[in-house]
């Protein structure tokens, strides 16, 4: 089996494992585009054997919409994960396990990807001189969390654990 085939198989397995989270991640970007007036060039595309799902939208040159689009999945998927973990602790049996799986799927896909945050510094640089430092302060942690695969993985696991603890009443 070739490396490309193994990569596609790996991507398919990840998509199956966290698919609901991937869908809500992309639709959170979609909703943020709509709310900020950024034109969307189609619905989010799930590509089960590819490295990522995509939502194509017009180029964003303003920091506010760029930041909102980048962090929308973090907000939406975190809330969904929290709700699913709370539901999982309230019910037993197969429904509880389903809620637990969905909570993990939403939590694991809450952080923006590297592609989601790649323009944040460029749009922050376009802010007026007086607000530019605030733009950089907001962009830096978001970009840092998505730039390194290792850091993103650690943060994702930790954040999902926090959501689990909060949702299940362990805090």
């Amino acid at each position: 089996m070739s490396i490309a085939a193994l990569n596609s198989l790996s991507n398919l397995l990840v998509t199956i494992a966290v698919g609901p989270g991937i869908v809500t991640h992309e639709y959170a970007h979609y909703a943020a585009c709509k709310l900020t007036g950024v034109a969307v060039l189609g619905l989010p595309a799930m590509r089960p054997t590819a490295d990522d799902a995509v939502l194509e939208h017009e180029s964003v040159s303003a920091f506010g919409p760029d930041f909102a689009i980048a962090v929308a999945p973090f907000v939406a998927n975190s809330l969904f994960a929290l709700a699913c973990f709370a539901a999982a602790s309230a019910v037993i049996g197969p429904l509880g396990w389903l809620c637990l799986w969905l909570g993990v799927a939403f939590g694991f896909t809450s952080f923006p990807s590297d592609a989601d945050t790649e323009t944040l510094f460029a749009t922050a640089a376009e802010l007026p001189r007086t607000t530019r430092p605030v733009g950089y302060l907001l962009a830096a942690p978001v970009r840092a969390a998505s730039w390194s695969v290792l850091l993103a993985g650690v943060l994702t696991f930790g954040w999902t654990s926090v959501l689990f603890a909060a949702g299940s009443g362990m805090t």
Side-chain angles (χ1 to χ4, degrees), residues 61 66 118-127 136:
S61 58
D66 194 20
E118 69 184 344
T119 58
L120 286 177
F121 282 117
T123 57
E126 298 300 319
L127 287 168
Y136 286 134

PDB file of all heavy atoms in Angstrom, residues 61 66 118-127 136:
ATOM      1  N   SER A  61     -10.088  41.037   4.283  1.00  0.00           N
ATOM      2  CA  SER A  61      -8.996  41.987   4.491  1.00  0.00           C
ATOM      3  C   SER A  61      -9.121  42.756   5.797  1.00  0.00           C
ATOM      4  O   SER A  61      -8.209  43.489   6.159  1.00  0.00           O
ATOM      5  CB  SER A  61      -8.938  42.970   3.317  1.00  0.00           C
ATOM      6  OG  SER A  61     -10.173  43.641   3.193  1.00  0.00           O
ATOM      7  N   ASP A  66     -12.042  38.507   9.965  1.00  0.00           N
ATOM      8  CA  ASP A  66     -11.038  37.437   9.882  1.00  0.00           C
ATOM      9  C   ASP A  66     -10.933  36.711  11.216  1.00  0.00           C
ATOM     10  O   ASP A  66     -10.928  35.472  11.277  1.00  0.00           O
ATOM     11  CB  ASP A  66      -9.687  38.035   9.488  1.00  0.00           C
ATOM     12  CG  ASP A  66      -8.674  36.996   9.043  1.00  0.00           C
ATOM     13  OD1 ASP A  66      -9.066  35.872   8.678  1.00  0.00           O
ATOM     14  OD2 ASP A  66      -7.470  37.327   9.035  1.00  0.00           O
ATOM     15  N   GLU A 118      -4.180  31.620   9.167  1.00  0.00           N
ATOM     16  CA  GLU A 118      -2.976  32.073   8.459  1.00  0.00           C
ATOM     17  C   GLU A 118      -2.969  33.548   8.084  1.00  0.00           C
ATOM     18  O   GLU A 118      -1.908  34.122   7.892  1.00  0.00           O
ATOM     19  CB  GLU A 118      -2.705  31.198   7.235  1.00  0.00           C
ATOM     20  CG  GLU A 118      -3.694  31.339   6.113  1.00  0.00           C
ATOM     21  CD  GLU A 118      -3.419  30.371   4.975  1.00  0.00           C
ATOM     22  OE1 GLU A 118      -2.308  29.810   4.905  1.00  0.00           O
ATOM     23  OE2 GLU A 118      -4.322  30.173   4.161  1.00  0.00           O
ATOM     24  N   THR A 119      -4.122  34.203   8.013  1.00  0.00           N
ATOM     25  CA  THR A 119      -4.152  35.614   7.608  1.00  0.00           C
ATOM     26  C   THR A 119      -4.323  36.580   8.781  1.00  0.00           C
ATOM     27  O   THR A 119      -4.394  37.792   8.572  1.00  0.00           O
ATOM     28  CB  THR A 119      -5.289  35.852   6.589  1.00  0.00           C
ATOM     29  OG1 THR A 119      -6.531  35.469   7.189  1.00  0.00           O
ATOM     30  CG2 THR A 119      -5.057  35.062   5.310  1.00  0.00           C
ATOM     31  N   LEU A 120      -4.378  36.069  10.002  1.00  0.00           N
ATOM     32  CA  LEU A 120      -4.661  36.948  11.143  1.00  0.00           C
ATOM     33  C   LEU A 120      -3.631  38.063  11.323  1.00  0.00           C
ATOM     34  O   LEU A 120      -3.995  39.210  11.601  1.00  0.00           O
ATOM     35  CB  LEU A 120      -4.778  36.137  12.436  1.00  0.00           C
ATOM     36  CG  LEU A 120      -6.050  35.324  12.596  1.00  0.00           C
ATOM     37  CD1 LEU A 120      -6.005  34.507  13.885  1.00  0.00           C
ATOM     38  CD2 LEU A 120      -7.279  36.217  12.571  1.00  0.00           C
ATOM     39  N   PHE A 121      -2.354  37.755  11.193  1.00  0.00           N
ATOM     40  CA  PHE A 121      -1.344  38.807  11.376  1.00  0.00           C
ATOM     41  C   PHE A 121      -1.393  39.835  10.242  1.00  0.00           C
ATOM     42  O   PHE A 121      -1.194  41.024  10.476  1.00  0.00           O
ATOM     43  CB  PHE A 121       0.058  38.217  11.515  1.00  0.00           C
ATOM     44  CG  PHE A 121       0.320  37.647  12.879  1.00  0.00           C
ATOM     45  CD1 PHE A 121       0.574  36.306  13.042  1.00  0.00           C
ATOM     46  CD2 PHE A 121       0.308  38.457  14.002  1.00  0.00           C
ATOM     47  CE1 PHE A 121       0.810  35.772  14.299  1.00  0.00           C
ATOM     48  CE2 PHE A 121       0.537  37.939  15.267  1.00  0.00           C
ATOM     49  CZ  PHE A 121       0.790  36.589  15.412  1.00  0.00           C
ATOM     50  N   ALA A 122      -1.679  39.373   9.041  1.00  0.00           N
ATOM     51  CA  ALA A 122      -1.773  40.300   7.914  1.00  0.00           C
ATOM     52  C   ALA A 122      -2.952  41.259   8.089  1.00  0.00           C
ATOM     53  O   ALA A 122      -2.824  42.465   7.836  1.00  0.00           O
ATOM     54  CB  ALA A 122      -1.903  39.535   6.603  1.00  0.00           C
ATOM     55  N   THR A 123      -4.096  40.742   8.529  1.00  0.00           N
ATOM     56  CA  THR A 123      -5.241  41.641   8.715  1.00  0.00           C
ATOM     57  C   THR A 123      -5.060  42.513   9.959  1.00  0.00           C
ATOM     58  O   THR A 123      -5.516  43.655   9.972  1.00  0.00           O
ATOM     59  CB  THR A 123      -6.573  40.859   8.781  1.00  0.00           C
ATOM     60  OG1 THR A 123      -6.516  39.895   9.832  1.00  0.00           O
ATOM     61  CG2 THR A 123      -6.883  40.182   7.457  1.00  0.00           C
ATOM     62  N   ALA A 124      -4.367  42.005  10.980  1.00  0.00           N
ATOM     63  CA  ALA A 124      -4.079  42.839  12.159  1.00  0.00           C
ATOM     64  C   ALA A 124      -3.158  43.995  11.774  1.00  0.00           C
ATOM     65  O   ALA A 124      -3.290  45.100  12.309  1.00  0.00           O
ATOM     66  CB  ALA A 124      -3.452  42.008  13.270  1.00  0.00           C
ATOM     67  N   ALA A 125      -2.261  43.763  10.839  1.00  0.00           N
ATOM     68  CA  ALA A 125      -1.341  44.815  10.389  1.00  0.00           C
ATOM     69  C   ALA A 125      -2.083  45.947   9.677  1.00  0.00           C
ATOM     70  O   ALA A 125      -1.571  47.066   9.597  1.00  0.00           O
ATOM     71  CB  ALA A 125      -0.283  44.225   9.461  1.00  0.00           C
ATOM     72  N   GLU A 126      -3.274  45.661   9.177  1.00  0.00           N
ATOM     73  CA  GLU A 126      -4.060  46.679   8.478  1.00  0.00           C
ATOM     74  C   GLU A 126      -4.917  47.524   9.419  1.00  0.00           C
ATOM     75  O   GLU A 126      -5.573  48.462   8.972  1.00  0.00           O
ATOM     76  CB  GLU A 126      -4.957  46.010   7.424  1.00  0.00           C
ATOM     77  CG  GLU A 126      -4.190  45.279   6.341  1.00  0.00           C
ATOM     78  CD  GLU A 126      -3.263  46.202   5.558  1.00  0.00           C
ATOM     79  OE1 GLU A 126      -3.673  47.344   5.238  1.00  0.00           O
ATOM     80  OE2 GLU A 126      -2.116  45.800   5.290  1.00  0.00           O
ATOM     81  N   LEU A 127      -4.935  47.177  10.698  1.00  0.00           N
ATOM     82  CA  LEU A 127      -5.697  47.966  11.666  1.00  0.00           C
ATOM     83  C   LEU A 127      -5.066  49.344  11.831  1.00  0.00           C
ATOM     84  O   LEU A 127      -3.863  49.521  11.592  1.00  0.00           O
ATOM     85  CB  LEU A 127      -5.721  47.252  13.025  1.00  0.00           C
ATOM     86  CG  LEU A 127      -6.600  46.016  13.135  1.00  0.00           C
ATOM     87  CD1 LEU A 127      -6.295  45.260  14.429  1.00  0.00           C
ATOM     88  CD2 LEU A 127      -8.067  46.380  13.054  1.00  0.00           C
ATOM     89  N   TYR A 136      -2.803  42.357  17.291  1.00  0.00           N
ATOM     90  CA  TYR A 136      -1.697  41.401  17.433  1.00  0.00           C
ATOM     91  C   TYR A 136      -1.836  40.563  18.708  1.00  0.00           C
ATOM     92  O   TYR A 136      -1.545  39.362  18.705  1.00  0.00           O
ATOM     93  CB  TYR A 136      -0.346  42.119  17.427  1.00  0.00           C
ATOM     94  CG  TYR A 136       0.074  42.616  16.070  1.00  0.00           C
ATOM     95  CD1 TYR A 136       0.567  43.901  15.906  1.00  0.00           C
ATOM     96  CD2 TYR A 136      -0.009  41.804  14.941  1.00  0.00           C
ATOM     97  CE1 TYR A 136       0.964  44.366  14.663  1.00  0.00           C
ATOM     98  CE2 TYR A 136       0.392  42.260  13.698  1.00  0.00           C
ATOM     99  CZ  TYR A 136       0.875  43.543  13.568  1.00  0.00           C
ATOM    100  OH  TYR A 136       1.259  43.992  12.333  1.00  0.00           O
TER     101      TYR A 136
END
